[in-house]
Amino acid sequence: MTTLNPYLGFRGTAREAMEFYQGVFGGELLLSTFRDFGAEVEPDELDLVMHAQLTGDAGVVFMASDTPKHMDYREGSNFSMSLSGPDTDEARLREYFERLSDGGTVQQPLSVAPWDDSFGMVQDRFGVAWMVNIAAPAEG
């Protein structure tokens, strides 16, 4: 099953914001930093949030990250739509990525990411930012 979640962007305040939202919605908050993934960012950005996911007590799920200095950031338009799913949805998710790219701008081609999933980013022709994450096949 493909999942659609809002994905919020921040400039250095993702941890604080997500902890606040956890206080509002309860549930489990998972945080990973740029350092955790060995991402290439400025040294003072290594401990910023590269990915956070809040799964609230009542089923509310959303994600967030800090936007590094080398990427465009405009407060008020700091959100994306995130499509994700297991490798069994791979063909459909790849098709969504291609369709969303039609007339849009691919910001990161769909490729294997440091966390082993396939990941890509595209801004569609209407200006909506999309992230597609295809879970790596389970080992076993």
Side-chain angles (χ1 to χ4, degrees), residues 100-120:
L100 290 165
S101 300
D102 184 23
T105 304
V106 174
Q107 293 147 331
Q108 181 172 328
L110 196 56
S111 60
V112 177
W115 54 93
D116 294 329
D117 294 349
S118 293
F119 178 78

Side-chain angles (χ1 to χ4, degrees), residues 7-140:
Y7 203 109
L8 306 176
F10 297 93
R11 181 76 90 191
T13 58
R15 180 182 304 273
E16 178 183 359
M18 293 302 281
E19 288 172 350
F20 168 77
Y21 297 137
Q22 184 182 30
V24 172
F25 298 108
E28 181 180 11
L29 175 60
L30 303 174
L31 293 167
S32 298
T33 66
F34 287 97
R35 182 185 310 275
D36 293 337
F37 286 112
E40 293 185 23
V41 293
E42 298 292 323
D44 64 336
E45 296 179 310
L46 286 170
D47 294 319
L48 293 179
V49 174
M50 184 172 171
H51 178 74
Q53 179 171 316
L54 176 63
T55 304
D57 293 332
V60 171
V61 178
F62 61 97
M63 303 170 191
S65 66
D66 283 309
T67 305
K69 295 174 199 170
H70 71 273
M71 295 176 73
D72 185 42
Y73 176 81
R74 287 171 283 142
E75 192 168 312
S77 61
N78 51 337
F79 72 94
S80 301
M81 299 301 287
S82 174
L83 289 169
S84 57
D87 65 325
T88 55
D89 291 338
E90 182 172 359
R92 177 159 286 178
L93 287 168
R94 286 185 187 283
E95 182 180 332
Y96 292 158
F97 186 85
E98 293 303 317
R99 287 181 178 181
L100 290 165
S101 300
D102 184 23
T105 304
V106 174
Q107 293 147 331
Q108 181 172 328
L110 196 56
S111 60
V112 177
W115 54 93
D116 294 329
D117 294 349
S118 293
F119 178 78
M121 297 188 314
V122 61
Q123 184 175 38
D124 71 23
R125 66 177 141 204
F126 302 103
V128 176
W130 292 86
M131 294 182 282
V132 175
N133 191 86
I134 303 168
E139 292 183 28

